[in-house]
């Protein structure tokens, strides 16, 4: 009977069922998305592993009919990563990378669809200069980790002499040769657990609120059923049937929303993360759990909501003044959550993994405490609110009559804000462990280019000096000297740094300098052998390994008389060099192949795209070089990826919060249609009614955000104690989170004003 009432009970029944289904469907869609995340991450990892082309720790294969020389030429363009490879197949059976039908010829390239579109647009002008290859094909989905990934394979030649195992390698197959498993940091596991719980709790709260849409009208219908002979248990079963019908329809709509969103996901990119629709396949077991849990929860929530309602044949007793809510049992969930988390205080990353069940249960109970305490707080506060303007009085009286409905409306946003505050505190507290300050001196240089062996530093430095946006160039060669042949292994070694006088002054304080001078440096880091090696007449040998895999003759050098002393100072990277300093005129003949160049660049930031011009010059001078843009700090990639995942998830949850709040607000306005029409018929101004609706939203959301701040700060402090980090409050983040929550509610309220104005008509009193 309950299911029939939902679908065949006239316009009233199916409108309520549709509103319930939309609210439940939005939650189901996000739950299905969450269950698909592990598969999406696994799919991205599998795609990345399948195209792996490095040979770290592996023996380089000999040239054969099935080998390929491949060079890593990754770059960045306007803060977006571009995966690039130069390829030179050495035989007809050279392995093809996933997604590529045939290797491009020299001077040609195959590109990802996103890179093809970028190169064809005006925004890709500078990148076209960096990639002077003709596009002849497209990389298929199997060869990409995301729909918006920028990637290409370009044909090249003469790569074999550059093989160095790090950026240039010879391979006979793609794929990770020996997958390694490393122990994950317990604190990172804790972060992932808390992120999932915090993102999913608002979804559960919204689903619980959605199944209670239209509860007052439903109870009045149940009273009519009592009048014709139904007992109270039968009435509750009928109510449960109505809720079940709405939730089942919500499952259908949620599946439609999810499938639609999955297709849309292939065309969007959030925080540089993109996926293919095929990645988002929910785990069958988790999807089945959602399909069972949501209808079961809707029935339980309905029965729980009716526990304090007496439905009699002549009406619903709830319309009289309800009994005051009790506080004592509402304190049990947060206290229980604190009790579950407190045994892990001070555990940190050295005490082993955190108990996942205690962490999940403790965080869930603390956030459930928000939903339990908020109705009591709203009821207690609004009962004490007094006189004021007419709009205020209308809002306060409505809140006093149905404070529970108002609390349910903002419960989800309060839970989301509480969890977000706790997470922000946790991330702020532990990010110092995953962020290290860079030693680079950004006042002296902002970019660094390490030239590969075989690239002459002098001509390269002149190219960079003529690049648009470059203000200063410091070019240094680096190598090593030993007291014996490097084939036997020297006992003592020292650095050798080569550069012109201006560049050498970046690494040492020089008394005077002109081309042809030699210096011996004191004060270098970990430099103990230089005094012994600096004896005049001593024969030293340049390390030939700096020339890369090419066989070069070992160059001997005799320490001359008259070495000038120099005192080491920090170079632009914060390192103190030791050993010997040489100007180009003092470098022995043939030794230029035994040193490699580093170029430090100072940029004119007033020039737009100065960084891109430098990257273009690097691609022209040394395609396998990696131009590094310096930053004040470096952060762990795993920590950064977890935080990025949080932001992506938070964006989805905020979208759900806004949509669900809007549906809830429209449902409440529909419930009050006749009341609003009566007030307008008696002469109440529409402006007054609109303000009263705003006040009805503002009061509970203010109380909800205050409670969320308290619970969030408490949870954040407990989590920081668990990670053995210093407990501190990032007030900027707290204010930001509460501000975002308030902004979402304000936007939803403004969007609900047009329907409100349409409902405020006297003809709304018409009935049959």
């Amino acid at each position: 009977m309950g299911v029939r009432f939902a679908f065949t009970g006239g316009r009233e029944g199916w409108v309520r069922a549709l509103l319930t289904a939309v609210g439940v469907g939005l939650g189901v869609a996000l739950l299905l998305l969450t269950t698909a995340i592990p598969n999406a991450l696994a799919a991205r990892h599998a795609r990345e592993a399948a195209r792996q082309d490095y040979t770290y720790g592996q023996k380089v294969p000999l040239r054969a009919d099935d080998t390929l020389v491949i060079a890593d030429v990754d770059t960045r363009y306007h803060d977006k990563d571009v995966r690039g490879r130069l390829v030179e197949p050495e035989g007809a059976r050279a392995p093809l990378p996933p997604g590529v039908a045939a290797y491009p010829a020299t001077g040609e390239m195959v590109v990802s669809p996103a890179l093809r579109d970028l190169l064809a647009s005006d925004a890709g002008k500078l990148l076209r200069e960096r990639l002077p290859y003709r596009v002849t094909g497209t990389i298929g989905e199997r060869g990409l980790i995301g729909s918006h990934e920028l990637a290409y394979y370009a044909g090249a030649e003469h790569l074999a002499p550059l093989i160095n195992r790090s950026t240039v390698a010879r391979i006979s197959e793609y794929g990770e040769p020996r997958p390694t498993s490393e122990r994950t940091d317990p604190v990172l596991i804790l972060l992932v657990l808390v992120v999932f719980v915090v993102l999913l709790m608002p979804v559960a709260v919204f689903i619980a609120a959605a199944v209670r849409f239209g509860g007052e009208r439903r109870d009045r219908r149940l009273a009519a059923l009592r009048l014709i002979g139904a007992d109270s248990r039968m009435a509750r079963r009928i109510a449960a049937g109505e809720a079940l019908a709405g939730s089942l329809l919500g499952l259908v709509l949620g599946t439609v929303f999810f499938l639609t969103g999955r297709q849309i996901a292939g065309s969007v990119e959030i925080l540089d993360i993109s996926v293919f629709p095929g990645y988002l396949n929910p785990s069958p077991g988790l999807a089945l759990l959602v399909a069972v849990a949501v209808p079961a929860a809707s029935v339980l929530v309905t029965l729980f909501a009716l526990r304090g309602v007496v439905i009699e044949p002549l009406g619903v007793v709830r319309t009289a003044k309800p009994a005051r809510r009790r506080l004592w049992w509402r304190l049990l969930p947060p206290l229980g959550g604190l009790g579950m988390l407190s045994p892990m205080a001070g555990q940190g990353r050295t005490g082993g993994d955190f108990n996942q069940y205690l962490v999940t249960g403790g965080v869930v109970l603390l956030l459930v405490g928000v939903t339990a305490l908020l109705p009591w707080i709203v009821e207690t506060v609004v009962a004490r609110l007094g006189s004021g303007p007419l709009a205020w009085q209308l809002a306060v009286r409505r809140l006093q009559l149905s404070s529970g409905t108002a609390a349910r409306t903002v419960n989800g946003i309060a839970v989301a804000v509480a969890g977000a505050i706790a997470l922000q505190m946790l991330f702020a507290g532990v990010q110092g462990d995953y962020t290290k300050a860079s030693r680079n001196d950004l006042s002296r240089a902002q970019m660094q280019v390490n030239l590969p062996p075989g690239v002459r530093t002098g001509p390269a430095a002149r190219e960079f000096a003529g690049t648009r946006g470059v203000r200063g160039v410091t070019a240094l060669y680096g190598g090593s000297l030993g007291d014996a042949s490097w084939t036997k292994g020297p006992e003592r070694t020292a650095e050798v740094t080569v550069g012109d006088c201006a560049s050498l002054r970046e690494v040492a304080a020089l008394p005077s300098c002109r081309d042809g001078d030699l210096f011996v440096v004191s004060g270098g880091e970990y430099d103990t052998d230089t005094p012994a090696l600096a004896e005049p007449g001593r024969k030293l040998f340049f390390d030939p390994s700096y020339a890369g895999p090419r066989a070069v003759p070992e160059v001997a050098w005799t320490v001359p008389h008259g070495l000038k002393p120099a005192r080491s100072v920090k170079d632009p990277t914060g390192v103190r060099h030791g050993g010997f300093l040489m100007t180009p005129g003092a470098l022995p003949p043939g030794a230029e192949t035994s040193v490699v160049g580093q170029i430090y660049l100072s940029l004119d930031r007033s020039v737009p795209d100065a960084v891109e011009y430098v990257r273009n010059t690097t691609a022209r001078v040394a395609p396998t070089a990696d131009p590094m843009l310096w930053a004040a700090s470096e952060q762990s990639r795993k920590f950064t990826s977890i935080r990025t995942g949080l932001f992506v998830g938070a964006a989805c949850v905020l979208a759900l919060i806004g949509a669900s709040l809007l549906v809830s607000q429209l449902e409440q306005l529909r419930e009050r249609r006749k009341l609003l029409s009566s007030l307008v018929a008696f002469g109440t101004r529409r402006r007054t009614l609109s303000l009263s609706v705003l006040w009805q939203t503002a009061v509970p959301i203010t109380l909800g955000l205050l409670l969320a701040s308290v619970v969030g700060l408490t949870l954040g402090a407990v989590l920081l104690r668990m990670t053995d980090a210093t407990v501190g409050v990032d007030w900027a983040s707290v204010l930001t989170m509460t501000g975002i929550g308030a902004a979402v509610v304000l936007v939803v309220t403004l969007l609900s004003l047009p329907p409100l104005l349409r409902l405020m008509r006297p003809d709304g009193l018409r009935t049959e």
Side-chain angles (χ1 to χ4, degrees):
M1 287 184 69
V3 173
R4 289 181 62 191
F5 280 139
F7 294 117
T8 62
R11 183 170 179 268
E12 183 73 30
W14 62 256
V15 167
R16 175 179 177 271
L18 184 61
L19 284 172
T20 300
V22 171
V24 172
L26 291 170
V28 168
L30 197 58
L31 287 177
L32 290 175
L33 175 64
T34 304
T35 62
I37 287 176
N39 280 342
L41 295 176
R44 284 176 64 95
H45 178 74
R47 292 270 177 93
E48 184 66 50
R51 68 183 187 182
Q52 186 69 267
D53 49 30
Y54 294 118
T55 56
Y56 296 131
Q58 302 295 307
K59 184 178 180 180
V60 178
L62 298 176
R63 176 170 182 157
D65 190 45
D66 64 345
T67 58
L68 162 80
V69 181
I70 187 165
D72 180 347
V73 287
D74 289 350
T75 185
R76 287 180 68 81
Y77 184 68
H78 290 162
D79 297 326
K80 286 188 174 294
D81 290 322
V82 180
R83 184 181 191 269
R85 296 293 186 268
L86 299 180
V87 291
E88 183 183 1
E90 297 179 305
R93 295 188 298 116
L96 283 168
V100 176
Y103 277 116
T106 303
E108 298 177 347
M109 67 177 175
V110 293
V111 299
S112 65
L115 181 57
R116 179 195 59 208
D117 296 341
L118 177 60
L119 292 175
S121 68
D122 293 338
K125 179 182 178 182
L126 287 176
L127 187 58
R128 286 197 299 271
E129 296 178 10
R130 194 180 314 169
L131 306 179
Y133 311 105
R134 187 168 64 90
V135 177
T136 59
T138 304
I139 303 174
E141 182 179 321
R142 288 179 54 246
L144 303 171
I145 63 171
S147 57
H148 282 65
E149 185 183 19
L150 305 177
Y152 70 93
Y153 291 91
E157 56 187 0
H158 309 307
L159 292 178
L162 304 177
I163 292 175
N164 57 16
R165 295 195 183 190
S166 57
T167 58
V168 185
R170 175 182 283 124
I171 61 174
S172 58
E173 62 180 353
Y174 285 90
E176 204 165 359
R178 288 187 302 187
T180 57
S181 59
E182 56 178 317
R183 181 176 178 272
T184 308
D185 188 337
V187 174
L188 293 182
I189 295 177
L190 175 67
L191 282 172
V192 172
L193 273 176
V194 177
V195 165
F196 269 96
V197 173
V198 165
L199 293 182
L200 290 181
M201 275 300 296
V203 181
V205 172
F206 277 125
I207 290 177
V211 299
R212 298 181 68 176
F213 285 170
E216 295 182 8
R217 288 178 179 267
R218 177 202 62 203
D219 295 346
R220 287 196 288 274
R221 290 197 304 274
L222 294 177
L225 290 174
R226 290 296 313 277
L227 187 61
I228 61 173
D231 59 25
S232 60
R233 295 180 63 185
M234 190 182 299
R236 282 169 170 73
R237 288 200 299 274
I238 293 172
E242 283 193 69
L244 182 63
S247 65
L248 290 175
L249 183 58
L251 283 178
V252 176
L253 287 182
T255 304
V256 173
F257 293 156
F258 170 73
L259 293 176
T260 304
R262 189 174 73 158
Q263 292 303 314
I264 295 174
S267 61
V268 299
E269 185 179 28
I270 302 176
L271 296 173
D272 295 334
I273 299 294
S274 63
V275 296
F276 289 104
Y279 286 4
L280 297 172
N281 289 323
S283 167
L286 294 176
L288 180 62
L289 179 63
V290 171
V292 173
V294 170
S298 67
V299 172
L300 292 175
V301 168
T302 302
L303 295 177
F304 183 77
L306 291 174
R307 78 198 187 284
V309 180
V310 180
I311 301 173
E312 297 292 350
L314 297 180
V316 182
V317 176
R318 188 174 58 186
T319 56
K321 184 177 179 180
R324 290 183 62 86
R325 289 180 169 86
R326 302 191 180 197
L327 176 63
W328 66 269
W329 68 266
R330 301 174 188 273
L331 295 174
L332 296 181
L335 292 176
L338 291 175
M340 295 177 74
L341 296 176
S342 58
M344 293 175 283
Q347 183 172 323
R349 60 176 49 82
T350 59
D353 293 338
F354 293 93
N355 187 307
Q356 299 184 17
Y357 299 103
L358 287 179
V359 170
T360 304
V363 175
V364 166
L365 285 177
L366 269 169
L367 295 180
V368 165
V370 175
T371 66
L373 286 169
L374 188 56
W376 179 86
I377 292 174
V378 172
E379 180 188 71
T380 303
V381 172
V382 298
R384 290 167 171 77
L385 296 178
S387 61
L390 181 57
W392 172 260
Q393 291 186 50
L394 285 171
V396 168
R397 188 61 184 143
R398 180 67 194 179
L399 290 173
Q400 289 172 344
L401 287 173
S402 58
S403 61
T405 302
R408 283 197 303 273
T409 303
V410 299
N411 256 337
I413 200 86
V415 169
V417 170
I421 289 174
L423 273 176
Q424 287 291 341
M425 284 182 64
L426 182 57
F427 272 97
V430 303
Q431 71 177 354
D433 297 334
Y434 302 96
T435 306
K436 64 177 182 179
S438 172
R439 298 177 65 179
N440 299 332
D441 188 349
L442 271 67
S443 65
R444 297 162 66 184
Q446 293 82 48
M447 291 191 75
Q448 175 183 348
V449 181
N450 294 329
L451 299 177
V455 178
R456 300 290 298 274
T457 306
R462 288 190 289 273
E463 288 279 349
F464 283 110
T467 299
R468 184 179 177 185
V470 173
R471 189 168 51 191
V473 178
T474 299
L476 298 169
Y477 310 72
S480 291
L481 289 166
D483 60 356
S485 172
W486 289 85
T487 58
K488 301 177 182 178
E491 294 183 5
R492 298 184 179 185
T493 62
E495 288 181 80
V496 58
T497 305
V498 184
D500 58 27
C501 291
S503 297
L504 292 181
R505 284 195 170 94
E506 293 290 329
V507 300
L510 308 179
S512 63
C513 179
R514 65 177 184 273
D515 193 24
D517 284 350
L518 287 163
F519 303 89
V520 60
V521 184
S522 61
E525 295 180 12
Y526 312 111
D527 182 20
T528 58
D529 294 342
T530 297
L533 297 179
E535 298 174 1
R538 186 152 193 169
K539 193 174 184 179
L540 303 178
F541 297 85
F542 280 85
D543 183 358
S545 66
Y546 281 78
R550 300 174 302 165
V552 298
E554 195 173 57
V555 177
W557 174 65
T558 303
V559 180
H561 291 274
L563 285 177
K564 294 183 178 181
R567 180 175 52 82
S568 178
V569 298
K570 289 183 178 180
D571 74 354
T573 64
V575 175
R576 292 182 181 272
H577 290 263
F580 300 89
L581 303 182
M582 295 184 180
T583 52
L587 191 66
E592 62 273 3
T593 60
S594 298
V595 289
V596 292
Q598 297 92 35
I599 295 180
Y600 306 99
L601 304 171
S602 175
L603 305 182
D604 183 356
R605 291 295 187 159
S606 65
V607 176
D609 293 324
V611 173
E612 303 306 326
Y613 290 123
V614 170
R615 288 169 175 161
N616 285 0
T617 300
T618 304
R620 186 173 62 253
V621 171
T624 59
D626 180 19
M628 294 177 286
L629 180 64
W630 285 358
S633 61
E634 300 172 358
Q635 200 163 70
S636 162
R637 291 183 65 87
K638 288 185 178 180
F639 179 81
T640 304
S641 64
I642 293 173
R643 190 170 60 178
T644 301
L646 167 64
F647 290 150
V648 173
C652 296
V653 171
L654 278 176
L656 169 74
I657 285 173
S660 299
L661 276 178
L662 184 58
V663 173
S664 176
Q665 190 84 326
L666 295 177
E667 189 273 337
Q668 288 188 46
L669 292 177
R670 189 182 67 88
E671 286 268 315
R672 283 180 257 160
R673 182 175 63 244
K674 289 188 177 180
L675 173 63
L676 294 171
S677 299
S678 300
L679 290 171
V680 171
F682 278 102
T684 309
R685 290 186 301 175
R686 294 188 177 190
R687 177 174 173 272
T688 301
L689 289 178
S690 300
L691 284 175
S692 73
V693 172
L694 287 174
W695 280 120
Q696 287 174 51
T697 305
V699 172
I701 193 60
T702 301
L703 297 175
L705 292 178
L706 288 175
L707 176 62
S709 299
V710 174
V711 175
L713 291 173
T714 303
L715 177 56
V718 172
L719 293 173
L720 286 174
R721 287 288 300 120
M722 289 166 57
T723 59
D724 203 22
T726 303
V727 177
V729 180
D730 185 2
W731 289 110
S733 297
V734 173
L735 294 176
T736 301
M737 291 300 104
T738 53
I740 291 174
V744 169
V745 175
L746 179 61
V747 169
V748 168
T749 304
L750 293 177
L751 290 176
S752 66
L753 287 181
L756 171 67
L757 295 176
R758 286 197 300 270
L759 291 173
M760 288 188 298
R761 297 171 181 169
D763 58 8
L765 291 174
R766 185 178 302 157
T767 187
E768 295 181 8

